[in-house]
Amino acid sequence: MSMFDFEFEDHEDPIEGLRLGDVVDSYERARREGSEEYFDSETLEDIATFYFENERFEDALEVIDRLGEVQPFSSDVWLKRGVILNTLDYHEQAVEAYQKALSFNPMDSEANLNLGITLDHLDEPEQALEAYEKAGQIDPLNDELLFQTG
């Protein structure tokens, strides 16, 4: 399962019956041609996840930023942006993204957990522990949280 928490077992879009690869191809064609073709939020999430799972992190970030233009107040979009930035080793920017996610949803255990992980990378153990504690208050049995705090 992806860090984005999406699963593509059959790689088909449930709405249109299109294969995900076809949707990504359509997106890439529109991008190359400078087309303003419309892609809904769910489709953009699917495309970003496809890129992330295929280690095309810069492409995933571009799509998430496009999704952020459509949903600027979505904590989920900011969390995903943070995950991608952290994967790209842009830890300071990832911290900002997680903090933005938490400003919209302070009860997001995943944002707190990922904030803690990123703060660990930045050698900020006290702040990381604070983030882990907040995540633990929300979801005390989270396996990843238990591993990180260990």
Side-chain angles (χ1 to χ4, degrees):
M1 182 155 71
S2 165
M3 284 288 291
F4 283 168
D5 203 46
F6 290 94
E7 297 179 33
F8 295 113
E9 294 172 8
D10 60 2
H11 292 284
E12 285 193 15
D13 184 307
I15 296 171
E16 299 177 27
L18 293 175
R19 291 185 43 77
L20 181 59
D22 294 337
V23 174
V24 171
D25 289 345
S26 177
Y27 175 80
E28 289 178 351
R29 186 174 37 262
R31 187 173 62 177
R32 274 192 314 273
E33 295 171 358
S35 168
E36 294 297 320
E37 185 174 343
Y38 177 76
F39 292 88
D40 65 27
S41 298
E42 183 177 334
T43 302
L44 289 173
E45 286 183 29
D46 290 348
I47 294 167
T49 301
F50 175 85
Y51 285 146
F52 187 85
E53 290 175 348
N54 287 281
E55 298 182 5
R56 294 176 58 183
F57 304 119
E58 294 287 346
D59 291 327
L61 182 60
E62 179 183 309
V63 176
I64 285 297
D65 286 345
R66 184 169 174 180
L67 182 59
E69 293 171 6
V70 177
Q71 299 179 349
F73 304 109
S74 168
S75 64
D76 192 47
V77 170
W78 286 100
L79 170 63
K80 291 174 183 176
R81 187 172 202 281
V83 169
I84 296 167
L85 290 167
N86 196 43
T87 302
L88 290 167
D89 293 327
Y90 300 138
H91 302 300
E92 291 86 3
Q93 291 176 319
V95 167
E96 291 173 14
Y98 296 135
Q99 289 171 336
K100 189 81 164 181
L102 290 166
S103 75
F104 296 123
N105 182 6
M107 299 304 292
D108 188 333
S109 65
E110 289 298 316
N112 278 299
L113 172 60
N114 282 289
L115 175 60
I117 292 169
T118 304
L119 290 167
D120 268 342
H121 284 293
L122 291 171
D123 199 27
E124 298 287 345
E126 294 84 17
Q127 290 179 312
L129 282 174
E130 286 178 29
Y132 293 146
E133 286 174 12
K134 288 178 186 174
Q137 291 170 355
I138 300 163
D139 185 9
L141 300 178
N142 182 307
D143 292 342
E144 180 68 17
L145 173 65
L146 296 172
F147 174 79
Q148 292 297 327
T149 56

